[in-house]
Amino acid sequence: MSGSTKAMTIVTCAALVLISAYTVALGSSGWLWFGWIVLMVATIGMAAADSTESVAGRGPRAGGAGPAPR
């Protein structure tokens, strides 16, 4: 996981805590929860893109199974 993905995950978790505290103290706000869901989906997308990027960079010459040299 890259540094930007870790930072996005931390921001998403912090936003969840803050929105939960806001909801307990002042009442629910649908727009805040909608915004958090959008943030969570973006974070999941970043994590998915980050993981496919690391898998795509591997090839037969990078230690994977490939044809045997002659």
Side-chain angles (χ1 to χ4, degrees):
M1 192 181 307
S2 70
S4 60
T5 305
K6 286 180 185 178
M8 185 85 160
T9 303
I10 291 168
V11 168
T12 302
C13 292
L16 175 62
V17 170
L18 291 174
I19 293 171
S20 297
Y22 180 92
T23 298
V24 168
L26 300 174
S28 182
S29 171
W31 284 110
L32 283 177
W33 286 106
F34 176 75
W36 183 80
I37 290 171
V38 170
L39 181 64
M40 180 183 64
V41 169
T43 303
I44 291 170
M46 278 184 68
D50 196 27
S51 68
T52 57
E53 181 180 298
S54 64
V55 170
R58 297 180 195 163
R61 300 185 193 267
R70 294 184 180 180

